[in-house]
Amino acid sequence: MSIDLTPEQKAFTEAIDDFCRREAGSREQRGDGPHHPGLYRKMADLGWLGVTVPDEFGGSGAGMVDTCLFLEHVAYGQAPVGGFTTSAIVAAAVGRSGSDEQRKTVLGGLVDGRVYAIAMSEPEAGSDVANLSCRAVRTDDGWIVDGQKTWCSNAHIADAILLVARTSGSPGDHHGLTMLLVPTDTPGLRINGIETMGGKEVNDLYFTDVRLPADAVMGTVDKGWQQLMAGLNVERLILAALMLGTAQRAFDDALDFIRQRRQFGRPVGSFQALRHRIADLATEIECCRLLVHRVATLTDRDPGKVLPRESSMVKLKVTEVAREVALAGMQMMGGYGYATEYDMERHVRATLVSTIYGGTSEIQRDIIGKTYGL
């Protein structure tokens, strides 16, 4: 299918590319972490963070195709605005199921440059989301939350966390999960960072007698699982689009290097082994671009329709290809690919984890298989 951009989309992507060259073109500008508040604020001022937010909340309401274009080009430009990923996922969930006040706060907050996080995983519940045990107990005037969450991206820079807690039933039940919005300054909530290959991105969360008002519930009590499933398209597309941009950047960086690096009297890119590898990687990236655009188009066509097969395919394919491209880029660059002087080692770190978060590749394959009745 064609992915020819409209004049508006072309201007949008060109503006993003130009911004990233000017504002994030060097390591000094990007800083050390995955999220740069100053750059994030500049994007908010340009109105870009509201790409999927309805205009009634100050956004452009452009849909998932434009959101994927934004994410692809931001990732390609290496702009450190990692807080947008979880914020967009939370905003989409609130947009579907939240109250009018929650929509105003979260969607408007995203447009203004605020960061939000979502907390699902626990020490004994990762891929097995139904095994959640962090519990919210109803009181006369609200809820009390106790328990632990882990691997929560961006909680340390977030204004609020969308918590998935158990409100009824036992671990192992899909029924009985509820979503609650928890401001990060709520007493009883402790956020501890986890050191990773990518720096400080994820956190352990400890809830000790955390008291929330009744209106902290987002959506319907005990229906959190259904609300989570309704957001699969958006979440997996967001992750796929990010890795599409990263894959293209890793490819272009490797290509630029092998065009210039000379061995045995000629550029190493002229050797058949590397030419063929480049050809294969380029083809894979183009397939990924077509798949991202296709699933984004289907999502925009019917936002309420869950696409378990297609959303799992796009997350699986793009993250696996991105990892392949980055590792191949490092191999083609030799020792230089391993050196921090170049960005390839950064691409490798970013893509390795992409096949784990948001549902592992193994889980995506299992879902796809089940859609064929297996």
Side-chain angles (χ1 to χ4, degrees):
M1 64 179 294
S2 172
I3 56 170
D4 293 336
L5 304 183
T6 66
E8 293 78 12
Q9 289 171 329
K10 186 176 181 180
F12 181 43
T13 57
E14 289 174 348
I16 298 168
D17 293 341
D18 180 66
F19 176 91
C20 291
R21 282 191 294 268
R22 288 185 293 102
E23 302 289 344
S26 69
R27 293 192 174 191
E28 290 74 23
Q29 288 174 304
R30 295 194 292 267
D32 296 328
H35 184 81
H36 191 298
L39 287 176
Y40 196 65
R41 168 55 55 188
K42 289 181 180 180
M43 286 190 176
D45 292 341
L46 289 166
W48 293 347
L49 302 185
V51 62
T52 57
V53 175
D55 53 13
E56 63 185 291
F57 300 106
S60 59
M64 283 310 300
V65 170
D66 282 35
T67 298
C68 288
L69 289 172
F70 172 70
L71 289 163
E72 177 188 350
H73 285 262
V74 164
Y76 183 87
Q78 301 184 91
V81 288
F84 178 79
T85 306
T86 53
S87 301
I89 292 170
V90 171
V94 173
R96 288 189 304 272
S97 306
S99 65
D100 290 342
E101 186 60 32
Q102 288 169 340
R103 291 190 183 99
K104 180 180 178 181
T105 299
V106 175
L107 274 65
L110 174 57
V111 172
D112 291 339
R114 298 186 183 277
V115 175
Y116 300 95
I118 182 167
M120 288 187 286
S121 294
E122 297 178 6
E124 299 299 325
S127 299
D128 183 11
V129 178
N131 201 40
L132 298 181
S133 61
C134 179
R135 187 169 290 274
V137 178
R138 195 191 298 267
T139 65
D140 291 339
D141 59 353
W143 301 86
I144 297 178
V145 180
D146 287 283
Q148 180 183 352
K149 293 289 180 178
T150 192
W151 305 117
C152 184
S153 299
N154 299 321
H156 58 298
I157 59 173
D159 283 80
I161 297 166
L162 182 57
L163 169 69
V164 184
R166 182 161 296 285
T167 46
S168 69
S170 303
D173 297 336
H174 288 109
H175 179 76
L177 303 179
T178 300
M179 292 186 176
L180 302 102
L181 278 167
V182 185
T184 50
D185 60 359
T186 302
L189 170 59
R190 180 162 55 95
I191 302 172
N192 287 357
I194 301 172
E195 293 289 343
T196 72
M197 291 172 61
K200 294 183 178 179
E201 302 173 286
V202 294
N203 306 269
D204 283 317
L205 308 181
Y206 299 93
F207 297 84
T208 305
D209 197 31
V210 172
R211 296 179 178 272
L212 301 173
D215 61 5
V217 170
M218 199 281 289
T220 305
V221 174
D222 290 340
K223 298 296 183 182
W225 177 258
Q226 291 87 335
Q227 293 167 203
L228 283 171
M229 294 301 101
L232 290 181
N233 301 351
V234 171
E235 177 182 355
R236 291 172 183 168
L237 272 169
I238 284 173
L239 301 178
L242 279 173
M243 284 302 107
L244 174 60
T246 303
Q248 187 67 64
R249 182 57 183 251
F251 176 88
D252 287 353
D253 286 353
L255 181 61
D256 183 63
F257 182 90
I258 66 173
R259 281 171 170 165
Q260 300 180 50
R261 174 69 170 166
R262 298 181 67 86
Q263 290 287 282
F264 305 103
R266 56 176 172 153
V268 297
S270 66
F271 294 104
Q272 186 183 73
L274 296 194
R275 285 206 315 271
H276 286 192
R277 180 169 285 187
I278 285 293
D280 288 342
L281 295 176
T283 303
E284 288 292 292
I285 291 172
E286 193 59 26
C287 289
C288 288
R289 183 167 288 109
L290 288 165
L291 184 57
V292 168
H293 185 80
R294 171 63 174 167
V295 179
T297 299
L298 290 174
T299 299
D300 283 342
R301 187 177 299 165
D302 188 356
K305 184 178 181 179
V306 179
L307 304 167
R309 179 185 298 170
E310 293 85 352
S311 65
S312 287
M313 283 180 171
V314 75
K315 203 277 181 181
L316 170 67
K317 179 65 176 178
V318 182
T319 57
E320 291 282 335
V321 167
R323 181 177 65 178
E324 178 187 357
V325 172
L327 287 171
M330 179 174 282
Q331 187 72 24
M332 287 188 283
M333 291 176 65
Y336 292 103
Y338 191 66
T340 57
E341 175 186 356
Y342 293 86
D343 288 324
M344 192 58 67
E345 57 85 24
R346 175 182 182 272
H347 302 327
V348 168
R349 287 186 283 113
T351 56
L352 285 178
V353 73
S354 73
T355 63
I356 299 172
Y357 60 50
T360 65
S361 291
E362 291 76 13
I363 289 294
Q364 305 306 329
R365 291 186 178 100
D366 199 49
I367 292 170
I368 294 166
K370 287 179 179 179
T371 68
Y372 287 100
L374 301 176

